[in-house]
């Protein structure tokens, strides 16, 4: 805890030096504890690292979009989501939502020629304007427009969130998974315009051509790592299957990167609770399970990129080092804070088929178990476990104790005050032991856990395991 959340690691921000130091530390702990690299990972099975390529994009630059009398300023009325510098006057073509989906019989480009033109599209889909759906479809819209020869794309952003929140959240430096590992990908300019400002939407739909000036957003490829270790199971047959343990080790960095108040005296967001806490649990499990392996194998993955959109787990789920259909369970550990050291909180306790084992393990170390605190927050879908759940793997998150969001929980969350000195180390020890024991009990089960009947991820589980 004192190493991972030390000032010297500068907030462990993905793609920066402190993050790389944390990854190296975790890998060397694996080596010291007798946890081996995953068979087949790297030359001579020698590495604990899975390279995860990120594209780092600079801040939103200056620019204007001019539609007749309406002059829209970059950073105020629109933000550039991607793309290089450009100064062009070109015809504009409206393409509805800018999507193609054969399964839905949708072709928003039918009969349109957009080569050499600017494409105007609505955000999200016809069904939903949630921020998540807008973000999920935005890259796809840009790629389709590029493939059809468009020179730029303007998206009318219509999610029900204040525009100043959008500019603050997306106008600064950002990280995303790189589409290629070698070099930053070239992209046409892609603007999100404040679509709820009726005069802008009206002007863009009415004009025949638009002036689009932008300084562009510089991008570069930066590297980070998921750190992966393996403990072969002790049962000749069951060891073909495995339990996946996960916790993210990244945090948010230093100063303005942290997004919260800081001072000259303390500007480092050390992330003791979020998530050196879960990473310590991961290393505790590595130590105990390597000394005395359970029947099934155990795969331990310290994940990068959680704070920038669950990206390390998203990458791992798309590039698994062992077959996902041999993974019977994912036990994720992540935390924002805690205010009840008599309990462990578990997102998905009732849903993922291992309640008895988790409760038995927690009871052995004096804990009660509280299922799904703050249900209004949708916490199950907000940590790395969700990327494994989407693949069909039962995947709860094992979290330090709390029952609802309140001042105590948020007091240190993503604050410069989240330092090792504020941690209850006796609680951390017992929490880590309970996490480890629960893993052992699940790995020793005769029959693998399954999603609860009717759960939204049950169908994915049946598809993954062929049941």
């Amino acid at each position: 805890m004192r190493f991972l959340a030390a000032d010297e690691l500068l907030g462990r921000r993905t793609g920066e030096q402190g993050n790389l130091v944390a990854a190296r530390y975790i890998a060397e702990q694996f080596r010291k504890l007798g946890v081996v690299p995953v068979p087949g990972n790297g030359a001579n099975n020698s590495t604990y690292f899975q390279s995860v390529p990120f594209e780092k994009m600079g801040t939103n630059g200056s620019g204007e979009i001019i539609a007749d009398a309406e002059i829209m300023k970059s950073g105020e009325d629109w933000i550039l989501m991607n793309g290089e510098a450009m100064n062009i006057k070109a015809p504009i073509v409206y393409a509805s939502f800018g999507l193609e989906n054969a399964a839905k019989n949708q072709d928003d480009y039918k009969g349109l020629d957009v080569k050499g033109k600017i494409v105007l599209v609505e955000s999200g889909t016809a069904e939903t304007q949630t921020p998540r759906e807008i973000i999920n479809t935005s890259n796809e819209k840009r790629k389709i427009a590029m493939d059809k020869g468009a020179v730029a794309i303007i998206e009318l952003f219509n999610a029900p969130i204040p525009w100043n929140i959008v500019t603050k959240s997306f106008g600064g430096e950002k990280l995303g998974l790189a589409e290629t590992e070698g070099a930053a990908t070239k992209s046409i300019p892609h603007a999100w315009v404040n679509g709820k400002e009726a005069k802008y939407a009206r002007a863009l739909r009415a004009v025949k051509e638009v002036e689009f000036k932008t300084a562009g957003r510089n991008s570069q490829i930066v590297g980070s790592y998921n750190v992966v270790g393996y403990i072969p199971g002790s049962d000749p047959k069951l060891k073909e299957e495995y339990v996946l343990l996960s916790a993210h080790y990244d945090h948010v960095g230093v100063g303005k990167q942290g997004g919260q108040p800081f001072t000259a005296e303390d500007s480092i967001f050390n992330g003791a609770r979020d998530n050196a806490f879960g990473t310590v649990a991961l290393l505790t499990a590595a130590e105990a399970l390597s000394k005395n392996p359970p029947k099934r194998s155990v795969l331990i993955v310290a994940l990068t990129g959680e704070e920038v959109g669950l990206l390390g787990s998203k990458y791992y789920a798309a590039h698994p080092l062992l077959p996902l259909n041999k993974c019977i369970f994912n036990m994720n550990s992540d935390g924002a804070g805690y205010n009840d050291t008599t309990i462990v909180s578990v997102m998905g306790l009732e849903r993922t088929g291992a309640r008895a084992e988790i409760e038995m393990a927690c009871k052995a170390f004096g804990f009660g178990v509280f299922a799904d605190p703050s249900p209004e927050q949708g916490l199950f879908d907000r940590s790395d476990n969700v990327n494994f759940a989407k693949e069909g793997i039962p995947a709860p998150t094992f979290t330090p104790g709390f029952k609802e969001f309140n001042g105590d929980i948020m007091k240190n969350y993503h604050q410069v005050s989240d330092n090792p000195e504020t941690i209850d180390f006796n609680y951390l020890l017992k929490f880590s032991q309970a996490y480890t024991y629960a893993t052992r009990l699940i790995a020793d089960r005769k029959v693998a856990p399954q999603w609860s009947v009717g759960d939204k991820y049950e169908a994915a589980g049946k598809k993954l395991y062929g049941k």
Side-chain angles (χ1 to χ4, degrees):
M1 169 61 72
R2 292 188 186 280
F3 186 94
L4 289 166
D7 282 354
E8 288 82 358
L9 270 65
L10 298 172
R12 307 189 305 275
R13 188 173 178 84
T14 296
E16 298 192 2
Q17 190 65 29
N19 179 265
L20 301 179
V21 172
R24 170 59 65 192
Y25 174 80
I26 294 164
E28 298 313 326
Q29 289 294 306
F30 284 171
R31 197 186 309 275
K32 174 182 156 189
L33 297 170
V35 177
V36 298
V38 176
N41 187 29
N44 305 316
N45 302 335
S46 62
T47 183
Y48 294 98
F49 296 129
Q50 179 188 44
S51 293
V52 184
F54 288 90
E55 186 171 14
K56 183 178 181 181
M57 193 166 294
T59 55
N60 179 61
S62 60
E64 290 180 339
I65 295 175
I66 303 172
D68 274 353
E70 294 297 345
I71 300 175
M72 292 157 260
K73 298 279 188 188
S74 175
E76 297 174 24
D77 311 311
W78 61 277
I79 51 176
L80 189 73
M81 294 303 292
N82 208 302
E84 299 171 1
M86 188 177 76
N87 186 346
I88 195 171
K89 190 171 188 178
I92 187 166
V93 178
Y94 180 71
S96 188
F97 290 93
L99 292 169
E100 295 175 321
N101 189 328
K104 292 184 179 177
N105 205 19
Q106 177 183 14
D107 182 2
D108 292 336
Y109 283 89
K110 191 173 182 181
L112 298 179
D113 175 15
V114 298
K115 193 166 186 180
K117 300 172 185 174
I118 297 167
V119 176
L120 177 67
V121 300
E122 306 288 347
S123 62
T125 66
E127 293 78 31
T128 179
Q129 286 292 322
T130 63
R132 179 169 291 184
E133 190 64 18
I134 290 173
I135 294 162
N136 286 346
T137 57
S138 200
N139 288 348
E140 184 184 351
K141 293 178 185 192
R142 180 169 66 250
K143 189 172 186 310
I144 292 170
M146 281 177 68
D147 289 346
K148 294 185 179 296
V151 292
I153 178 168
I154 297 173
E155 188 171 349
L156 296 169
F157 186 91
N158 277 307
I161 54 175
W163 179 247
N164 65 326
I165 301 292
V166 178
T167 56
K168 184 181 177 186
S169 300
F170 294 97
E173 177 187 290
K174 62 176 183 170
L175 277 177
L177 288 175
E179 292 177 23
T180 58
E181 299 208 18
T185 50
K186 302 273 185 190
S187 171
I188 60 172
H190 181 169
W192 278 2
V193 170
N194 183 3
K196 292 197 289 295
E197 188 65 65
K199 63 181 180 179
Y200 298 150
R202 206 162 40 236
L204 287 164
R205 289 192 185 108
V207 295
K208 293 276 196 294
E209 61 180 15
V210 162
E211 282 187 64
F212 196 145
K213 304 174 186 175
T214 175
R217 284 182 86 156
N218 296 326
S219 63
Q220 62 183 114
I221 297 297
V222 297
S224 187
Y225 302 99
N226 291 327
V227 191
V228 190
Y230 180 68
I231 300 169
S234 60
D235 185 280
K237 188 175 179 189
L238 287 178
K239 74 178 190 180
E240 298 301 315
E241 298 178 335
Y242 65 96
V243 173
L244 166 63
L245 301 186
S246 61
H248 77 90
Y249 68 89
D250 65 298
H251 201 232
V252 296
V254 176
K256 288 183 180 178
Q257 294 175 328
Q260 297 295 335
F262 61 92
T263 64
E265 292 74 36
D266 190 359
S267 62
I268 303 172
F269 293 80
N270 287 312
R273 287 159 178 76
D274 183 18
N275 186 35
F277 207 100
T279 309
V280 168
L282 209 62
L283 290 170
T284 305
E287 181 173 13
L289 299 174
S290 63
K291 285 177 183 172
N292 182 15
K295 292 178 182 177
R296 286 182 181 83
S297 298
V298 179
L299 185 71
I300 306 174
V301 187
L303 294 157
T304 192
E306 190 271 351
E307 299 289 358
V308 288
L310 314 181
L311 297 184
S313 55
K314 182 179 180 181
Y315 186 86
Y316 184 87
H319 305 87
L321 298 180
L322 292 175
L324 293 181
N325 64 0
K326 296 293 184 185
C327 178
I328 67 156
F329 202 78
N330 166 224
M331 183 81 93
N332 185 53
S333 186
D334 193 5
Y338 60 88
N339 60 6
D340 189 339
T341 57
T342 69
I343 60 172
V344 169
S345 300
V346 181
M347 323 303 171
L349 178 71
E350 313 277 3
R351 299 169 56 181
T352 50
R355 176 176 178 165
E357 287 81 7
I358 291 171
E359 288 183 339
M360 182 188 294
C362 289
K363 186 178 179 182
F365 293 96
F367 293 137
V369 180
F370 191 84
D372 296 296
S374 293
E376 78 285 352
Q377 295 280 340
L379 296 174
F380 185 92
D381 289 348
R382 285 172 54 185
S383 188
D384 289 307
N385 62 302
V386 72
N387 283 322
F388 301 113
K390 286 176 181 175
E391 299 295 330
I393 299 165
T397 294
F398 197 89
T399 301
F402 75 106
K403 295 180 179 178
E404 60 183 351
F405 271 87
N406 57 32
D408 282 345
I409 293 299
M410 305 308 287
K411 185 168 73 175
N412 294 295
Y413 173 67
H414 281 210
Q415 304 294 329
V416 292
S417 58
D418 190 12
N419 296 315
E421 293 74 28
T422 67
I423 295 293
D424 181 331
F425 277 81
N426 188 48
Y427 179 62
L428 173 59
L429 171 64
K430 290 180 179 177
F431 176 92
S432 300
Q433 289 170 317
Y435 176 78
T436 303
Y437 188 28
T439 301
R440 182 182 299 284
L441 291 172
I442 293 164
D444 283 347
R445 274 177 61 139
K446 286 182 180 176
V447 180
Q450 293 185 3
W451 290 103
S452 299
V453 174
D455 194 274
K456 71 176 183 177
Y457 296 113
E458 183 191 19
K462 287 181 174 177
K463 182 179 177 185
L464 179 68
Y465 301 120
K467 294 178 181 176

